[in-house]
Amino acid sequence: MPANSWCPDALSSWFRGELWMPANSWCADALALSSWFKEMGDYVRSKDPNHLVSSGSEGFFGEGDARQGKNPRAWASQTGQNFVDDNRHMDFAVAHAWPDNWQIPNDQQGSFLRDWLASHLEAAESINMPLLFEEFGKKIDNPDDAAAIRQLRDPVFAASYDAVQKAVEENKPLLGSLYWKWAVPGMPKGPYGVDVDDSTMGVIKTHATIMQRLVNAIPPRPGCVLPAAPNKTLGVWFASAAPDAATKRGCVNAPEVSLAYYNLYGPGGTPTATAEELELSEVSMAYAKALHSGKVQVYPTRLACCRAGGLGAYPQGCNV
């Protein structure tokens, strides 16, 4: 991901390759390409240790991989890519999905995308790596054809987002998804562009709302918030439950709730454990259970909790 040297904080990550295809016998050698990813990843980290590195590749499964049959076509395993080996030495794994380019029939694209994401989540888990569904899109030959957008693109986005939401609900190692592409005003829309007035934007907004709810249903892990200290970037912030909360809209940090939540519902957790057994307060246990049942929302920072416009705990934002 290219960036200006004067604005390093704008970077989230660097990616190393884009849309890899074999140009010669070397590129078709999966070991050579995986080695190159590792070499370049190590090099970038040596120059910039403050940002993440990813492969930026489509995520085809290589020859001999048990998931090779999930590839869109037989040619995919001959491109030099091998999802597991290519991402093993990255900071997070990535996968792309271009069903039109890969000649997947329209009526099969939704099911293909669900299977494609599921197979990559399984593979990412096998190497203990989080996954970003980095690119997906749906081509419309006439980008201003509202009926085609509604009948062809909307179902593909809906199927992709359903799979993403399901993965998050099941606590799979999914970082999120990025569609291609927003039709920036003043720029050519192109066959993949999504305009703010397209029906697809409604699908995107619905997904964003659901993802916000899902993200705000799980606290940061205990190691990120405990022990509590003023210099901690993350916390476990809730809308204030004080008696005057109706007029004084504020947020409170309760980092112990994270410990309660993961002891109850995290990997290896015991949902029937008591406050006494865990040596935690009854209040922390109550908040953890309310989170799990969807009765309250949690935010990683005070800023997020106090954000106005329906994004934080109060539509109007905090006033204290």
Side-chain angles (χ1 to χ4, degrees), residues 22-61:
N24 50 48
S25 59
W26 181 90
C27 189
D29 181 348
L31 290 177
L33 190 54
S34 296
S35 297
W36 183 85
F37 276 129
K38 181 181 185 304
E39 178 186 352
M40 291 296 101
D42 290 344
Y43 175 77
V44 172
R45 289 190 195 96
S46 73
K47 299 297 182 182
D48 180 5
N50 298 316
H51 292 94
L52 304 176
V53 180
S54 73
S55 69
S57 56
E58 287 130 318
F60 297 136
F61 296 110

Side-chain angles (χ1 to χ4, degrees), residues 60-61 68-79 99 101-105 108 112 116:
F60 297 136
F61 296 110
Q68 185 178 338
K70 298 295 184 180
N71 284 335
R73 292 287 186 271
W75 52 259
S77 63
Q78 301 167 18
T79 60
N101 295 355
W102 300 342
Q103 300 178 330
I104 307 296
Q108 298 176 24
F112 168 79
W116 186 244

Side-chain angles (χ1 to χ4, degrees), residues 191-205:
Y192 288 97
V194 179
D195 190 81
V196 292
D197 296 324
D198 290 346
S199 56
T200 308
M201 190 57 72
V203 179
I204 295 168
K205 289 179 178 179

